[in-house]
Structures are given as C-alpha cells and as structure tokens.
C-alpha cells in the first residue's frame, strides 16, 4: 500500500489514504508541500516596483528562488522618433528618457552632436559651466527621489516628505532658468538655449544655504535608524566581480569600494577643473548605496559652489550662425521667445542672417557623416549615447546606453536566495527609472 498525490480541481493538494499509518500520511503531505512553488507577479503597477516594472518571482515560502524582470510597459519609441526629427529637435525627445535626470540625457546627446561636428572646443565657457551647474543640481534632485521613494517603500513616510520638500526647491530653480520643472529641452548643440535669467544666481545661492539643512533632516532620520539599517544592511548584496560581470555602474559599483566615476576617469565639460571626491563604500549592499548617494549630494553642492565662482560673463551659444539655433532667445513677459534684436537682424538688417535662420529652422543643421559614443556619469551610472550620422540634417541612428537598463540585470543576483521583503530594499538600492529602461 502506498500514498499518492494528485491535484484537486481547486488547486489544493489531496492525499490518498489507503490504509497506511498516520505518520506515513503526514510525511507524504509534507513532501508535497516541500515541492510546491508559488509564482508572484509584483507589478507592473505595484507601489513598490519603482514605476511600471514587473517582477516575476518564484517563491519557496518567503524565499525567492528565481527573480526575473519584465520590462517594456513604458516603451515610447524615442530612439526611433529621433530619426524623423532634426538634430536640435532631438533634445526634446531625449530629455524624456530618464525623466528624473533630464539634464544628463540632454548633455550626453549634445556632447555627441558637438563631437561629430568637431566643435567641442568651441563651446562657450559660460555654457559649459551652466551645464555642469544644472547637472549637479539634477544629481541631487534625483538622489532625493531615490531616498524618498526607497524609504516610503520600506514603510517610512518621513523620508518621502523631506526628500520631496527639498526637491521642490531645486525644481523651482530649474523652472526659473528653463521655464519647465522637467523635460526642459534647455541644453542644445552648441551651448544652451538662453542665459541665466536675473535672480537665478541668487536663488541658487539660497539653495546652497537651505539644502544642507534639508539633507541633514533626511540623514538624521535614516542613517542611524535601527529599522532602516536592519532592512538594508546585507540586503541586495553584489560584490565587485558581480558588478563587472553584469556591467553595473554608479552607486552599485562604488558600493564595492571601486572608485570609478566618469567625471574623474574620463572628464567632460571641464570636470577635471573641479574639486570633489568620489564617494565609495565597502558594504556591497543597499545600505552602502544609500550612504553613497548621501555623500554624492554633498559633493554636488561643492561643485555647484565652484560653478557659481566660474560664471564669468560671456555668450552661451556657439558663435556660428550655421549651427546656433535657436538664436538669441530671451525671457520676456510672455515667456521664452526670440529677442527683438535678433528679429530685427534677420528680418531687416542682414539677408545672410535671414537665410541662415530660415535654413536652420526649416531644415536643421547638417552633421558630417560618422559615428560617436559619448558617456557621462549620471545619478545611476554610465549614461552613454551612440550617435550615427549619414551627413544629413537628421540622425541616422541614436541609441542610449542607459544605466537603469543595465543595472536591472543585477536583480536576480541580488534577490535570489533572499526574502521576498528584501526584494523591495534591493530594488530601491538599484534605483531604476523605467523611462530610461524602456525608451
């Protein structure tokens, strides 16, 4: 006589009892339970999955035995759309990829276009300093969202309030400078769209006073918090070998102790002239990544201070009317628009200026045939842009190497073998932005 297992129509286990001892029946039931696996779909609209990410988790009790990412729910076709717009119009598309760090998307794209044009060294110094200034403020605002949402996902509402409170101040500065809080389209091939408006420097100086106090509130709440440390220490572990094998960069890589930051390793936008430290940690876990992001925000504040010291008067767009589009914008009572002096020049004083302006607006600038790969250090790691030109006024191909996409490969290595509750902490430590993943 023996006992067998079969599936009931309601998916509940049934034990056939054919005269065995009760101990044998219980042993058979236990063996069945040990073999049972549960598959859980976490997302794509779960509040703890960093946007529209879907995690397919196979569980043995509360232990994750297999973790897989399913992406594509936010796919926008931006890279393909770029092939049907001029090089300058492309900025409006790429800024919407990683929507938490739009200035980085714009900068890496423009650096690639300028490299293809061969005008990298001709970009005005003031424009380059403004780019660095905005990127570092953007790095702080992005990290604030990472810590705010990470805290909320683990049950702490305080970090959410503090993080978004400070981010609002930064977005107000962005709005004063570009007219928009997000998706700015402000950094253009050849420079930036318009110079800093009156009062912008004063607003940034006020930020430099208020932000350290706001960051301290966040740190006081989390850094020594017993619950926060218990939920993040030893969670999402990935060592240096794992990072190198998976291509993980940014805070994930630096949490292994490797001091790799493209601002130091292969400087761009004059970063070699700024004094700052690359923040590292040796924990290889989510808590170490938290500490790195906190440290990087303080280093970014140092860079912003240096940018204000370097803001000498000068142009913010390249002095080449065949490339400088749009030309001579200014903030007026009705918003951002073309300056009266530029309108007078192209409509009345200069036939050559009118021709250049007309061709730039209707056709776009022509970029010599070739291809280039440019990489910068975004808040999440190496953000690269591969641009291909066939010599026309539109890109032949644009492809982004977004760090969120690459870093997501680490989900399985970080989560398998751990508790399902730790998946949330590991994912918060990765800090993926699905706009950059799906594109």
């Amino acid at each position: 006589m023996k006992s067998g297992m079969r599936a009931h129509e309601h998916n509940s286990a049934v034990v056939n009892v054919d005269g065995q001892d009760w101990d044998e029946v219980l042993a058979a039931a236990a063996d069945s339970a040990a073999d049972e696996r549960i598959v859980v779909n976490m997302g794509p609209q779960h509040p703890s999955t960093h946007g529209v990410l879907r995690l397919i988790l196979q569980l043995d009790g509360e232990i994750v035995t297999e973790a897989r990412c399913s992406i594509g729910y936010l796919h926008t076709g931006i890279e393909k759309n770029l092939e049907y717009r001029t090089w300058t119009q492309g900025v409006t598309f790429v800024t919407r990829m990683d929507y938490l760090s739009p200035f980085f998307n714009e900068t890496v794209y423009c650096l690639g276009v300028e490299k293809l044009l061969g005008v990298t060294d001709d970009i005005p110094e003031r424009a380059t300093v403004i780019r660095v200034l905005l990127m570092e403020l953007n790095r702080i605002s992005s990290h604030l969202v990472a810590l705010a949402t990470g805290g909320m996902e683990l049950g702490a509402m305080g970090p959410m309030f503090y993080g978004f409170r400070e981010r609002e101040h930064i977005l107000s500065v962005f709005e004063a400078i570009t007219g928009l809080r997000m998706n700015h389209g402000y950094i253009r091939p050849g420079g930036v769209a318009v110079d800093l408006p009156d009062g912008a420097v004063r607003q940034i100086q006020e930020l430099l006073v208020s932000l350290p106090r706001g960051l301290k509130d966040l740190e006081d709440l989390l850094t020594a918090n017993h619950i926060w440390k218990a939920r993040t220490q030893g969670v999402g572990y990935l060592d240096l070998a794992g990072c190198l094998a998976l291509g993980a960069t940014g805070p994930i890589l630096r949490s292994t102790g490797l001091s790799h930051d493209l601002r130091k390793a292969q400087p761009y936008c004059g970063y070699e002239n700024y004094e700052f430290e690359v923040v590292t940690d040796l924990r290889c876990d989510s808590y170490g990544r938290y500490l790195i992001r906190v440290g990087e925000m303080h280093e970014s504040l140092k860079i912003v201070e240096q940018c204000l010291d370097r803001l000498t008067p000068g142009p913010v767009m390249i002095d080449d009317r065949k490339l400088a589009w749009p030309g001579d914008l200014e903030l007026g009572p009705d918003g951002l628009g073309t300056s009266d002096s530029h309108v007078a020049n192209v409509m009345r004083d200069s036939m050559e200026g009118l021709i250049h302006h007309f061709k730039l607006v209707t056709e776009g600038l022509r970029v010599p045939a070739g291809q280039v790969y440019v990489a910068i250090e975004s808040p999440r790691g190496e953000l690269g842009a591969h641009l291909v030109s066939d010599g026309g006024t539109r890109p032949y191909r644009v492809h982004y190497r977004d760090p969120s996409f690459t870093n997501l490969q680490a989900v399985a290595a970080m989560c398998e073998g751990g508790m399902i509750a730790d998946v949330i902490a590991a994912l918060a430590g990765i800090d993926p932005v699905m706009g950059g993943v799906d594109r």
Side-chain angles (χ1 to χ4, degrees), residues 87-375:
W87 290 94
T88 302
Q89 289 172 333
V91 175
T92 308
F93 283 84
V94 300
T95 189
R96 287 166 164 78
M97 290 181 174
D98 182 345
Y99 41 79
L100 289 183
S101 53
F103 286 118
F104 294 88
N105 302 331
E106 297 175 22
T107 298
V108 72
Y109 174 81
C110 291
L111 290 177
V113 176
E114 290 158 5
K115 193 169 183 179
L116 284 170
L117 288 167
V119 298
T120 301
D121 296 333
D122 299 328
I123 308 303
E125 175 68 15
R126 184 175 177 87
T128 299
V129 173
I130 292 174
R131 289 178 176 182
V132 173
L133 172 69
L134 293 176
M135 280 193 289
E136 293 307 317
L137 287 175
N138 199 176
R139 192 183 307 277
I140 298 172
S141 69
S142 178
H143 283 345
L144 284 171
V145 174
L147 303 187
T149 56
M152 182 187 66
E153 288 163 0
L154 296 182
M157 287 300 295
M160 189 73 177
F161 295 138
Y162 288 145
F164 274 79
R165 179 190 67 186
E166 300 310 313
R167 178 173 179 259
E168 282 299 306
H169 300 321
I170 298 176
L171 296 189
S172 296
V173 171
F174 290 165
E175 185 176 11
I177 295 174
T178 72
L180 293 166
R181 288 157 50 89
M182 299 171 67
N183 306 330
H184 311 278
Y186 175 77
I187 297 172
R188 308 288 177 86
V192 297
V194 64
D195 202 351
L196 297 179
D198 295 338
V201 171
R202 176 184 52 78
Q203 280 185 272
I204 297 170
Q205 289 171 336
E206 291 173 356
L207 260 185
L208 292 176
V209 175
S210 65
L211 269 177
R213 293 198 299 264
L215 295 182
K216 185 177 185 303
D217 289 339
L218 195 59
E219 293 174 60
D220 289 346
L221 198 62
L222 292 178
T223 303
N225 186 299
H226 177 73
I227 300 175
W228 177 254
K229 293 171 74 173
R231 290 299 307 274
T232 56
Q233 286 184 336
V235 172
Y237 184 88
L238 189 67
D239 61 12
L240 178 57
C243 288
L244 296 178
L246 295 171
T249 54
I252 298 177
L253 179 59
R254 290 190 286 276
S255 71
T256 68
L258 183 64
S259 179
H260 177 73
D261 187 313
L262 292 176
R263 293 174 294 176
K264 293 282 191 181
Q266 47 189 60
Y268 54 92
C269 291
Y271 268 108
E272 64 273 16
N273 300 318
Y274 294 87
E275 294 183 7
F276 65 98
E277 299 296 326
V278 177
V279 184
T280 61
D281 195 84
L282 296 172
R283 292 177 175 84
C284 304
D285 60 9
S286 292
Y287 185 71
R289 291 161 206 143
Y290 155 76
L291 293 177
I292 286 174
R293 290 187 175 98
V294 169
E296 286 184 355
M297 289 191 286
H298 289 290
E299 294 300 318
S300 291
L301 287 174
K302 295 179 185 177
I303 297 175
V304 171
E305 288 182 19
Q306 296 172 61
C307 287
L308 293 181
D309 294 337
R310 294 171 181 269
L311 270 179
T312 55
V316 295
M317 180 58 74
I318 191 171
D319 188 23
D320 185 340
R321 290 304 170 190
K322 294 182 179 181
L323 304 177
W325 185 84
D328 297 333
L329 297 184
E330 65 181 15
L331 285 171
D334 58 345
L336 190 65
T338 309
S339 68
D340 292 338
S341 61
H342 183 68
V343 173
N345 180 61
V346 301
M347 298 302 292
R348 185 184 66 217
D349 301 334
S350 172
M351 176 59 70
E352 185 182 39
L354 174 61
I355 293 171
H356 286 324
H357 182 75
F358 178 79
K359 288 179 70 66
L360 274 175
V361 173
T362 56
E363 295 180 3
L365 56 91
R366 291 193 175 274
V367 175
Q371 61 180 324
V372 66
Y373 176 80
V374 178

Side-chain angles (χ1 to χ4, degrees), residues 79 82 94-95 97 104-110 373 383-387 397-402 436 439:
E79 291 182 349
L82 290 171
V94 300
T95 189
M97 290 181 174
F104 294 88
N105 302 331
E106 297 175 22
T107 298
V108 72
Y109 174 81
C110 291
Y373 176 80
L383 175 65
H386 179 210
L387 281 65
R397 183 76 171 93
V398 175
H399 177 64
Y400 266 59
R401 188 262 186 214
D402 193 280
R439 298 190 296 285

